[in-house]
Amino acid sequence: MSILVVGSVAFDTLKTAYGEREKILGGSATYFSLAASYFTKVRVVAVVGEDFTGEHENVMKARGIDTTGIERAAGKTFHWGGEYGENLNEAKTNFTDLNVFQNFSPRIPQQYADTNFLFLANIDPALQLQVRRQMPNVKMVGGDTMNLWINISREQLTETLKEVDILLINDGEAKLLAGDSSLPRAARKVLQMGPRALVIKHGEYGATIFFRDGAHPFRAPALPIDEVQDPTGAGDSFAGGFMGYIASQDKLDRSVLTKAMFYGGVMGSFAVERFGTERLQKLTTEEIGNRFELFRSLTHLE
Amino acid sequence: MSILVVGSVAFDTLKTAYGEREKILGGSATYFSLAASYFTKVRVVAVVGEDFTGEHENVMKARGIDTTGIERAAGKTFHWGGEYGENLNEAKTNFTDLNVFQNFSPRIPQQYADTNFLFLANIDPALQLQVRRQMPNVKMVGGDTMNLWINISREQLTETLKEVDILLINDGEAKLLAGDSSLPRAARKVLQMGPRALVIKHGEYGATIFFRDGAHPFRAPALPIDEVQDPTGAGDSFAGGFMGYIASQDKLDRSVLTKAMFYGGVMGSFAVERFGTERLQKLTTEEIGNRFELFRSLTHLE
């Protein structure tokens, strides 16, 4: 099966306790597609500028990712600058140069039309809906969002959420979206907005999936990582592992969803071990399998 | 088997989003012993003042807890006042009236001498050590501490930790004690100080146990609770469920420890559902078993 992701392909300039990097490859669609590429065929819709080189694109191509949908526009690629202090779950943004992203109007290439799964990474909910409407026949739609859109585009976001099957957000976003400081209550309120399932990501504490039909929630742990060199992209990599695993399966039941939660955590944990997408570029099936088993043993009750 | 806990029996004056309570029964030894009483025989060493009535004592006696070791002193009982805002993991202390606790010098009653397990709840590490030395033959010693002692009595605490088998603290305490912001690294450093195992409590995200011998860590989830009416005593109740279950078993292996982690979470989750010790006073074996199963299904990979 195949999955299409729409989101940002960007450059990041970062500072963490482990060092600094300038203009390295980043963006929600990049992290997502690299993580998902270990499970299924991935197609990307995004926009980049003239400073996006063949070398950058080859990072994705080397993982078999279909980059036909990456549009080249005049100008510079979206560039984010930020740093992390003691609290690795919260980035301090130094600058956000939207550049070519400012006029992004996602178009789905003809050859992407038969895609089975869709992931709407964290971009303007109006653009998310625009893509969703161009892909009416997908089997399942996953989505992400952030505080910015909850604060400035709540109405638009509410429309988009009606057409998302599984929403993946973090604790703070869930509470803000629901206007409720109790996580399980917030989860129920968000599920009333449309999604059939809600994955709340807890950073180093793992993630919990809640279901609209009242099925019992499920929590997957995050591996305690010794050295989190760069937390950027952890959530997108979680989404890539989660959606990628789902897209690789024939059915979508609780057993698949719970394993997908583990694979999400696995890919998120790899992403943060090195700066940028470095670790996600060259994983082996064995490394992924071993970490899955490590996660399983972390919560396995004898 | 039996377990002895030394800690505070106190009054709490509390304010949470769900209401206020004045001078209700609280204290680390109280929460611990109520939670542990569902698993094993519990004995308490603490000090109370003249305002501690037979009615207060009956809360413990009704659960079969041996209160012989609760000393009556002239003056008032330890009284803590605090409140919780949005962040339920952090209390704002309004006052701490140590009262009779100021001159507490724990003495172990003769009839407690045959106790098998010992729990040093969160009190001055000098007093913890004093109790530990009076019980040289126990099978296993659990302990707790807090930022206050890490900051003002680090040397004394270091001495005490050498004689503690399992330390139970929260994320912030572990990082402060180790002087390291990475949780797994902090865990390893704390384990070098003496304990064979370290339980780090993550509040609503559960708890992780780390082992000095390098065995794989284990994480138990916390149940997402709709209404956390009063977080006071959650950690002590976790410790009570954890140590109580261990004391109820003939052996102490990984299987027992992982189940103990679940029972810790179960008792902590009950504690916060009502103000003070209300919920812990009248649980049934069935309620505890059901919640254990709920926890298991929360992380059970099919």
Side-chain angles (χ1 to χ4, degrees), chain B residues 247-265:
Chain B
S248 76
Q249 301 298 302
D250 293 331
K251 52 185 171 81
L252 181 53
D253 58 13
R254 186 175 176 97
S255 160
V256 169
L257 282 169
T258 55
K259 285 201 186 72
M261 290 289 287
F262 268 74
Y263 281 114

Side-chain angles (χ1 to χ4, degrees), chain A residues 4-293:
Chain A
L4 187 159
V5 56
V6 57
S8 60
V9 171
F11 291 128
D12 292 336
T13 289
L14 300 163
K15 191 176 168 181
T16 82
Y18 289 87
E20 308 183 24
R21 295 291 186 282
E22 207 165 315
K23 272 192 95 174
I24 56 171
L25 182 62
S28 57
T30 311
Y31 280 103
F32 179 95
S33 55
L34 286 171
S37 73
Y38 291 92
F39 303 91
T40 193
K41 245 172 66 175
V42 186
R43 295 157 168 179
V44 188
V45 168
V47 63
V48 294
E50 293 149 336
D51 50 354
F52 190 82
T53 66
E55 207 180 316
H56 293 122
E57 190 169 354
N58 278 339
V59 168
M60 291 194 234
K61 283 188 166 167
R63 288 290 321 141
I65 297 162
D66 186 337
T67 57
T68 316
I70 300 184
E71 179 195 333
R72 263 82 184 156
K76 284 186 169 178
T77 302
F78 178 21
H79 187 187
W80 178 78
E83 54 192 277
Y84 300 86
E86 282 287 290
N87 182 357
L88 296 171
N89 294 321
E90 236 171 279
K92 179 179 163 274
T93 291
N94 291 329
F95 60 85
T96 306
D97 295 340
L98 286 175
N99 300 328
V100 296
F101 213 79
Q102 209 145 8
N103 300 308
F104 182 38
S105 179
R107 275 184 305 269
I108 315 296
Q110 195 57 48
Q111 65 261 51
Y112 282 10
D114 63 346
T115 311
N116 313 98
F117 291 84
L118 173 63
F119 187 71
L120 308 168
N122 173 32
I123 53 172
D124 185 330
L127 299 185
Q128 290 180 317
L129 194 57
Q130 184 182 326
V131 171
R132 173 70 182 99
R133 297 254 158 99
Q134 290 177 71
M135 304 288 292
N137 299 319
V138 290
K139 288 176 65 171
M140 200 264 275
V141 182
D144 187 7
T145 191
M146 72 186 291
N147 285 356
L148 175 71
W149 311 119
I150 300 171
N151 284 324
I152 71 170
S153 307
R154 182 177 282 268
E155 212 168 312
Q156 175 63 62
L157 180 61
T158 305
E159 284 310 303
T160 304
L161 287 182
K162 287 179 189 159
E163 309 204 20
V164 166
D165 297 304
I166 304 189
L167 180 67
L168 293 92
I169 49 181
N170 68 30
D171 286 70
E173 289 157 356
K175 289 174 180 178
L176 181 68
L177 182 55
D180 197 315
S181 63
S182 151
L183 204 63
R185 272 205 316 256
R188 278 203 301 277
K189 289 182 185 173
V190 171
L191 288 167
Q192 288 312 312
M193 299 177 188
R196 288 182 289 146
L198 170 67
V199 175
I200 302 186
K201 297 170 284 180
H202 314 308
E204 65 175 321
Y205 301 117
T208 309
I209 184 166
F210 296 88
F211 300 99
R212 195 174 61 197
D213 68 5
H216 195 62
F218 177 80
R219 176 169 298 172
L223 185 76
I225 296 279
D226 262 43
E227 299 203 340
V228 175
Q229 291 205 352
D230 172 15
T232 314
D236 302 310
S237 305
F238 181 102
F242 177 83
M243 292 289 299
Y245 178 73
I246 288 173
S248 76
Q249 301 297 303
D250 294 329
K251 53 186 171 82
L252 181 54
D253 58 12
R254 186 176 176 94
S255 161
V256 169
L257 282 170
T258 56
K259 285 202 188 70
M261 290 289 287
F262 268 74
Y263 280 114
V266 163
M267 301 313 287
S269 79
F270 279 124
V272 304
E273 286 182 342
R274 296 283 181 281
F275 273 86
T277 59
E278 192 186 327
R279 191 81 175 93
L280 291 184
Q281 291 178 28
K282 291 191 189 91
L283 287 167
T284 64
T285 312
E286 200 190 345
E287 283 176 310
I288 293 171
N290 287 345
R291 188 153 294 183
F292 181 92
E293 285 309 319

Side-chain angles (χ1 to χ4, degrees), chain B residues 63 66 69 89 107 112 135 150 155 168 247 271 289 299:
Chain B
R63 288 288 323 141
D66 186 336
N89 293 321
R107 275 184 303 269
Y112 283 9
M135 304 288 292
I150 299 171
E155 212 169 315
L168 293 94
T299 52

Side-chain angles (χ1 to χ4, degrees), chain B residues 10-56:
Chain B
F11 291 128
D12 291 337
T13 289
L14 300 162
K15 190 175 169 182
T16 82
Y18 289 87
E20 306 183 26
R21 295 292 186 282
E22 207 167 316
K23 272 193 95 172
I24 57 170
L25 183 62
S28 58
T30 310
Y31 281 103
F32 179 94
S33 55
L34 286 171
S37 72
Y38 291 91
F39 302 90
T40 192
K41 245 172 69 175
V42 186
R43 296 157 166 177
V44 188
V45 167
V47 63
V48 293
E50 292 150 337
D51 50 354
F52 190 82
T53 66
E55 208 180 313
H56 293 122

